[in-house]
Amino acid sequence: MMPPPDRPADDDSDDAALFRAAIGDVRRLPDAAPPPAGPKPRPRARMAERDEAQAREEFRHALEDSLLEAGDALSYRRDELPPRVFARLRRGEISAQEELDLHGSDVREAEQLLRAFLHDAREHGLGCVRLIHGKGRSGSGGDYVDSRGVPVLKNLVDRMLRQRADILAFHSAPPAQGGTGAVLVLLAPRRR
C-alpha cells in the first residue's frame, strides 16, 4: 500500500467524510450512570435517645434532691473496703499525705484541679489525701453557695468522688482537720 499523497490543509472535510465512510453507521452509547450516592445515614434509635435523655433528667433531679447543706458530712464507702478501715478514716486516724485547697476556684476550675490532683496522687502511690472545699457559708473566696443556699464546691466534690473507680472511701474530716469543710479521701492502690 502506498502512503496517501500530501494534501493541502483545507482538505479536512474530505478526511472527515473518509473517516465516516470507513467506520460505517454508528449509534450513540447510552449516557453513563450517575455515580452512586453516598451511603444512607444509619437509622437513629429515637426511642433509645428519648429514654437516655429522660434517664439523664431523672438523674439530675435525683442529684438535686440529694444536695448537701453546709453542715452535712460527706460519706461514702465501697463494699470491698472493710468497715474498720472506714471507721479509722472517719475518725481521722489515717493521715493525709497531700492536700488540695479548692477555695477561690470556680466550678470548672475546681473540677479540673480535682481531676489532676487525684490523678497525680494515684500516680505517686498516695493512699490518703485531704480536699478542702469549704462549707459554703461565705460569698467570698470561692466558698460560695448557689441561689438555693447550697454549697457548690462541696456538692461538686461529693459528686465527682462518688463517680470515680479509684476512690475506695471518703468522709468529712474530723473538726481538728477541717470538719465538714474538708474531706479525707482513701485512694485505691495503683495497679501495675
Side-chain angles (χ1 to χ4, degrees), residues 130-154:
R130 181 177 25 253
L131 305 172
I132 302 170
H133 49 72
K135 296 181 182 182
R137 290 192 176 145
S138 66
S140 64
D143 190 13
Y144 59 95
V145 295
D146 68 4
S147 60
R148 297 166 295 195
V150 175
V152 175
L153 293 180
K154 182 174 191 168

PDB file of all heavy atoms in Angstrom, residues 130-154:
ATOM      1  N   ARG A 130      -6.395  14.897 101.476  1.00  0.00           N
ATOM      2  CA  ARG A 130      -7.441  15.754 102.027  1.00  0.00           C
ATOM      3  C   ARG A 130      -7.804  16.804 100.986  1.00  0.00           C
ATOM      4  O   ARG A 130      -6.932  17.421 100.373  1.00  0.00           O
ATOM      5  CB  ARG A 130      -6.980  16.451 103.312  1.00  0.00           C
ATOM      6  CG  ARG A 130      -8.041  17.328 103.928  1.00  0.00           C
ATOM      7  CD  ARG A 130      -7.673  18.008 105.256  1.00  0.00           C
ATOM      8  NE  ARG A 130      -6.276  18.202 105.485  1.00  0.00           N
ATOM      9  CZ  ARG A 130      -5.538  17.503 106.367  1.00  0.00           C
ATOM     10  NH1 ARG A 130      -6.106  16.567 107.100  1.00  0.00           N
ATOM     11  NH2 ARG A 130      -4.254  17.742 106.526  1.00  0.00           N
ATOM     12  N   LEU A 131      -9.107  16.998 100.793  1.00  0.00           N
ATOM     13  CA  LEU A 131      -9.614  18.026  99.890  1.00  0.00           C
ATOM     14  C   LEU A 131     -10.353  19.056 100.729  1.00  0.00           C
ATOM     15  O   LEU A 131     -11.240  18.701 101.511  1.00  0.00           O
ATOM     16  CB  LEU A 131     -10.584  17.419  98.875  1.00  0.00           C
ATOM     17  CG  LEU A 131     -10.056  16.254  98.045  1.00  0.00           C
ATOM     18  CD1 LEU A 131     -11.172  15.637  97.226  1.00  0.00           C
ATOM     19  CD2 LEU A 131      -8.930  16.721  97.146  1.00  0.00           C
ATOM     20  N   ILE A 132      -9.982  20.312 100.585  1.00  0.00           N
ATOM     21  CA  ILE A 132     -10.646  21.388 101.311  1.00  0.00           C
ATOM     22  C   ILE A 132     -11.582  22.082 100.336  1.00  0.00           C
ATOM     23  O   ILE A 132     -11.139  22.706  99.376  1.00  0.00           O
ATOM     24  CB  ILE A 132      -9.614  22.377 101.899  1.00  0.00           C
ATOM     25  CG1 ILE A 132      -8.656  21.623 102.816  1.00  0.00           C
ATOM     26  CG2 ILE A 132     -10.322  23.513 102.624  1.00  0.00           C
ATOM     27  CD1 ILE A 132      -7.473  22.434 103.270  1.00  0.00           C
ATOM     28  N   HIS A 133     -12.882  21.936 100.575  1.00  0.00           N
ATOM     29  CA  HIS A 133     -13.881  22.502  99.677  1.00  0.00           C
ATOM     30  C   HIS A 133     -14.638  23.651 100.314  1.00  0.00           C
ATOM     31  O   HIS A 133     -15.307  24.407  99.634  1.00  0.00           O
ATOM     32  CB  HIS A 133     -14.871  21.423  99.222  1.00  0.00           C
ATOM     33  CG  HIS A 133     -15.418  20.601 100.340  1.00  0.00           C
ATOM     34  ND1 HIS A 133     -16.332  21.091 101.240  1.00  0.00           N
ATOM     35  CD2 HIS A 133     -15.139  19.327 100.706  1.00  0.00           C
ATOM     36  CE1 HIS A 133     -16.621  20.139 102.117  1.00  0.00           C
ATOM     37  NE2 HIS A 133     -15.907  19.052 101.817  1.00  0.00           N
ATOM     38  N   GLY A 134     -14.536  23.818 101.604  1.00  0.00           N
ATOM     39  CA  GLY A 134     -15.254  24.867 102.312  1.00  0.00           C
ATOM     40  C   GLY A 134     -16.669  24.416 102.653  1.00  0.00           C
ATOM     41  O   GLY A 134     -17.143  23.382 102.201  1.00  0.00           O
ATOM     42  N   LYS A 135     -17.316  25.224 103.483  1.00  0.00           N
ATOM     43  CA  LYS A 135     -18.668  24.885 103.937  1.00  0.00           C
ATOM     44  C   LYS A 135     -19.742  25.630 103.170  1.00  0.00           C
ATOM     45  O   LYS A 135     -20.918  25.353 103.329  1.00  0.00           O
ATOM     46  CB  LYS A 135     -18.790  25.181 105.433  1.00  0.00           C
ATOM     47  CG  LYS A 135     -17.866  24.312 106.258  1.00  0.00           C
ATOM     48  CD  LYS A 135     -18.014  24.604 107.714  1.00  0.00           C
ATOM     49  CE  LYS A 135     -17.027  23.747 108.511  1.00  0.00           C
ATOM     50  NZ  LYS A 135     -17.153  23.954 109.938  1.00  0.00           N
ATOM     51  N   GLY A 136     -19.337  26.584 102.360  1.00  0.00           N
ATOM     52  CA  GLY A 136     -20.320  27.310 101.581  1.00  0.00           C
ATOM     53  C   GLY A 136     -21.075  28.340 102.397  1.00  0.00           C
ATOM     54  O   GLY A 136     -22.219  28.641 102.105  1.00  0.00           O
ATOM     55  N   ARG A 137     -20.455  28.869 103.422  1.00  0.00           N
ATOM     56  CA  ARG A 137     -21.151  29.825 104.290  1.00  0.00           C
ATOM     57  C   ARG A 137     -20.927  31.270 103.874  1.00  0.00           C
ATOM     58  O   ARG A 137     -21.743  32.119 104.120  1.00  0.00           O
ATOM     59  CB  ARG A 137     -20.702  29.645 105.735  1.00  0.00           C
ATOM     60  CG  ARG A 137     -21.222  28.362 106.299  1.00  0.00           C
ATOM     61  CD  ARG A 137     -21.047  28.319 107.781  1.00  0.00           C
ATOM     62  NE  ARG A 137     -21.662  27.100 108.292  1.00  0.00           N
ATOM     63  CZ  ARG A 137     -21.191  26.412 109.291  1.00  0.00           C
ATOM     64  NH1 ARG A 137     -20.116  26.812 109.921  1.00  0.00           N
ATOM     65  NH2 ARG A 137     -21.806  25.335 109.690  1.00  0.00           N
ATOM     66  N   SER A 138     -19.776  31.540 103.256  1.00  0.00           N
ATOM     67  CA  SER A 138     -19.493  32.930 102.886  1.00  0.00           C
ATOM     68  C   SER A 138     -19.619  33.073 101.383  1.00  0.00           C
ATOM     69  O   SER A 138     -19.491  32.116 100.649  1.00  0.00           O
ATOM     70  CB  SER A 138     -18.090  33.329 103.337  1.00  0.00           C
ATOM     71  OG  SER A 138     -17.123  32.588 102.624  1.00  0.00           O
ATOM     72  N   GLY A 139     -19.851  34.282 100.921  1.00  0.00           N
ATOM     73  CA  GLY A 139     -19.981  34.526  99.495  1.00  0.00           C
ATOM     74  C   GLY A 139     -18.677  34.903  98.850  1.00  0.00           C
ATOM     75  O   GLY A 139     -18.609  35.152  97.660  1.00  0.00           O
ATOM     76  N   SER A 140     -17.597  34.977  99.598  1.00  0.00           N
ATOM     77  CA  SER A 140     -16.327  35.408  99.016  1.00  0.00           C
ATOM     78  C   SER A 140     -15.328  34.270  98.993  1.00  0.00           C
ATOM     79  O   SER A 140     -15.492  33.265  99.650  1.00  0.00           O
ATOM     80  CB  SER A 140     -15.757  36.567  99.837  1.00  0.00           C
ATOM     81  OG  SER A 140     -15.461  36.110 101.146  1.00  0.00           O
ATOM     82  N   GLY A 141     -14.297  34.461  98.226  1.00  0.00           N
ATOM     83  CA  GLY A 141     -13.196  33.498  98.197  1.00  0.00           C
ATOM     84  C   GLY A 141     -13.532  32.181  97.549  1.00  0.00           C
ATOM     85  O   GLY A 141     -12.856  31.189  97.776  1.00  0.00           O
ATOM     86  N   GLY A 142     -14.582  32.119  96.745  1.00  0.00           N
ATOM     87  CA  GLY A 142     -14.887  30.875  96.047  1.00  0.00           C
ATOM     88  C   GLY A 142     -15.639  29.871  96.892  1.00  0.00           C
ATOM     89  O   GLY A 142     -16.073  28.851  96.408  1.00  0.00           O
ATOM     90  N   ASP A 143     -15.815  30.173  98.194  1.00  0.00           N
ATOM     91  CA  ASP A 143     -16.539  29.282  99.087  1.00  0.00           C
ATOM     92  C   ASP A 143     -18.003  29.695  99.031  1.00  0.00           C
ATOM     93  O   ASP A 143     -18.581  30.163  99.991  1.00  0.00           O
ATOM     94  CB  ASP A 143     -15.966  29.435 100.500  1.00  0.00           C
ATOM     95  CG  ASP A 143     -16.483  28.370 101.449  1.00  0.00           C
ATOM     96  OD1 ASP A 143     -17.077  27.397 100.981  1.00  0.00           O
ATOM     97  OD2 ASP A 143     -16.286  28.539 102.657  1.00  0.00           O
ATOM     98  N   TYR A 144     -18.601  29.545  97.860  1.00  0.00           N
ATOM     99  CA  TYR A 144     -19.903  30.146  97.627  1.00  0.00           C
ATOM    100  C   TYR A 144     -21.025  29.132  97.587  1.00  0.00           C
ATOM    101  O   TYR A 144     -20.824  27.937  97.530  1.00  0.00           O
ATOM    102  CB  TYR A 144     -19.887  30.978  96.350  1.00  0.00           C
ATOM    103  CG  TYR A 144     -19.523  30.200  95.106  1.00  0.00           C
ATOM    104  CD1 TYR A 144     -20.504  29.670  94.303  1.00  0.00           C
ATOM    105  CD2 TYR A 144     -18.194  30.008  94.752  1.00  0.00           C
ATOM    106  CE1 TYR A 144     -20.191  28.963  93.171  1.00  0.00           C
ATOM    107  CE2 TYR A 144     -17.868  29.295  93.622  1.00  0.00           C
ATOM    108  CZ  TYR A 144     -18.863  28.775  92.835  1.00  0.00           C
ATOM    109  OH  TYR A 144     -18.544  28.075  91.711  1.00  0.00           O
ATOM    110  N   VAL A 145     -22.234  29.678  97.624  1.00  0.00           N
ATOM    111  CA  VAL A 145     -23.448  28.876  97.579  1.00  0.00           C
ATOM    112  C   VAL A 145     -24.219  29.259  96.329  1.00  0.00           C
ATOM    113  O   VAL A 145     -24.034  30.331  95.764  1.00  0.00           O
ATOM    114  CB  VAL A 145     -24.316  29.109  98.843  1.00  0.00           C
ATOM    115  CG1 VAL A 145     -23.600  28.621 100.077  1.00  0.00           C
ATOM    116  CG2 VAL A 145     -24.695  30.561  98.983  1.00  0.00           C
ATOM    117  N   ASP A 146     -25.108  28.368  95.890  1.00  0.00           N
ATOM    118  CA  ASP A 146     -25.927  28.697  94.725  1.00  0.00           C
ATOM    119  C   ASP A 146     -27.161  29.486  95.173  1.00  0.00           C
ATOM    120  O   ASP A 146     -27.280  29.870  96.340  1.00  0.00           O
ATOM    121  CB  ASP A 146     -26.285  27.442  93.931  1.00  0.00           C
ATOM    122  CG  ASP A 146     -27.234  26.509  94.655  1.00  0.00           C
ATOM    123  OD1 ASP A 146     -27.691  26.844  95.757  1.00  0.00           O
ATOM    124  OD2 ASP A 146     -27.513  25.430  94.114  1.00  0.00           O
ATOM    125  N   SER A 147     -28.091  29.694  94.261  1.00  0.00           N
ATOM    126  CA  SER A 147     -29.264  30.520  94.556  1.00  0.00           C
ATOM    127  C   SER A 147     -30.159  29.906  95.636  1.00  0.00           C
ATOM    128  O   SER A 147     -30.952  30.603  96.250  1.00  0.00           O
ATOM    129  CB  SER A 147     -30.072  30.750  93.277  1.00  0.00           C
ATOM    130  OG  SER A 147     -30.505  29.504  92.758  1.00  0.00           O
ATOM    131  N   ARG A 148     -30.040  28.605  95.883  1.00  0.00           N
ATOM    132  CA  ARG A 148     -30.844  27.946  96.924  1.00  0.00           C
ATOM    133  C   ARG A 148     -30.113  27.855  98.247  1.00  0.00           C
ATOM    134  O   ARG A 148     -30.595  27.231  99.180  1.00  0.00           O
ATOM    135  CB  ARG A 148     -31.223  26.541  96.455  1.00  0.00           C
ATOM    136  CG  ARG A 148     -32.093  26.539  95.214  1.00  0.00           C
ATOM    137  CD  ARG A 148     -32.147  25.181  94.615  1.00  0.00           C
ATOM    138  NE  ARG A 148     -30.799  24.856  94.146  1.00  0.00           N
ATOM    139  CZ  ARG A 148     -30.511  23.884  93.322  1.00  0.00           C
ATOM    140  NH1 ARG A 148     -31.451  23.108  92.888  1.00  0.00           N
ATOM    141  NH2 ARG A 148     -29.281  23.668  92.931  1.00  0.00           N
ATOM    142  N   GLY A 149     -28.892  28.417  98.312  1.00  0.00           N
ATOM    143  CA  GLY A 149     -28.115  28.357  99.544  1.00  0.00           C
ATOM    144  C   GLY A 149     -27.345  27.068  99.717  1.00  0.00           C
ATOM    145  O   GLY A 149     -26.913  26.720 100.813  1.00  0.00           O
ATOM    146  N   VAL A 150     -27.140  26.331  98.627  1.00  0.00           N
ATOM    147  CA  VAL A 150     -26.439  25.041  98.671  1.00  0.00           C
ATOM    148  C   VAL A 150     -24.959  25.266  98.351  1.00  0.00           C
ATOM    149  O   VAL A 150     -24.627  25.955  97.397  1.00  0.00           O
ATOM    150  CB  VAL A 150     -27.073  24.075  97.631  1.00  0.00           C
ATOM    151  CG1 VAL A 150     -26.306  22.781  97.545  1.00  0.00           C
ATOM    152  CG2 VAL A 150     -28.522  23.807  97.980  1.00  0.00           C
ATOM    153  N   PRO A 151     -24.050  24.689  99.163  1.00  0.00           N
ATOM    154  CA  PRO A 151     -22.618  24.859  98.890  1.00  0.00           C
ATOM    155  C   PRO A 151     -22.209  24.177  97.581  1.00  0.00           C
ATOM    156  O   PRO A 151     -22.329  22.959  97.441  1.00  0.00           O
ATOM    157  CB  PRO A 151     -21.925  24.223 100.100  1.00  0.00           C
ATOM    158  CG  PRO A 151     -22.953  23.361 100.736  1.00  0.00           C
ATOM    159  CD  PRO A 151     -24.301  23.880 100.349  1.00  0.00           C
ATOM    160  N   VAL A 152     -21.714  24.944  96.639  1.00  0.00           N
ATOM    161  CA  VAL A 152     -21.446  24.458  95.292  1.00  0.00           C
ATOM    162  C   VAL A 152     -20.240  23.519  95.252  1.00  0.00           C
ATOM    163  O   VAL A 152     -20.327  22.407  94.721  1.00  0.00           O
ATOM    164  CB  VAL A 152     -21.253  25.654  94.328  1.00  0.00           C
ATOM    165  CG1 VAL A 152     -20.865  25.184  92.948  1.00  0.00           C
ATOM    166  CG2 VAL A 152     -22.516  26.488  94.266  1.00  0.00           C
ATOM    167  N   LEU A 153     -19.109  23.954  95.803  1.00  0.00           N
ATOM    168  CA  LEU A 153     -17.899  23.126  95.722  1.00  0.00           C
ATOM    169  C   LEU A 153     -18.040  21.827  96.517  1.00  0.00           C
ATOM    170  O   LEU A 153     -17.563  20.774  96.093  1.00  0.00           O
ATOM    171  CB  LEU A 153     -16.677  23.912  96.199  1.00  0.00           C
ATOM    172  CG  LEU A 153     -16.261  25.090  95.320  1.00  0.00           C
ATOM    173  CD1 LEU A 153     -15.047  25.793  95.904  1.00  0.00           C
ATOM    174  CD2 LEU A 153     -15.993  24.651  93.898  1.00  0.00           C
ATOM    175  N   LYS A 154     -18.705  21.896  97.640  1.00  0.00           N
ATOM    176  CA  LYS A 154     -18.901  20.698  98.457  1.00  0.00           C
ATOM    177  C   LYS A 154     -19.687  19.643  97.675  1.00  0.00           C
ATOM    178  O   LYS A 154     -19.335  18.465  97.657  1.00  0.00           O
ATOM    179  CB  LYS A 154     -19.642  21.070  99.742  1.00  0.00           C
ATOM    180  CG  LYS A 154     -19.865  19.921 100.687  1.00  0.00           C
ATOM    181  CD  LYS A 154     -20.476  20.425 101.977  1.00  0.00           C
ATOM    182  CE  LYS A 154     -20.463  19.337 103.011  1.00  0.00           C
ATOM    183  NZ  LYS A 154     -20.776  19.856 104.340  1.00  0.00           N
TER     184      LYS A 154
END
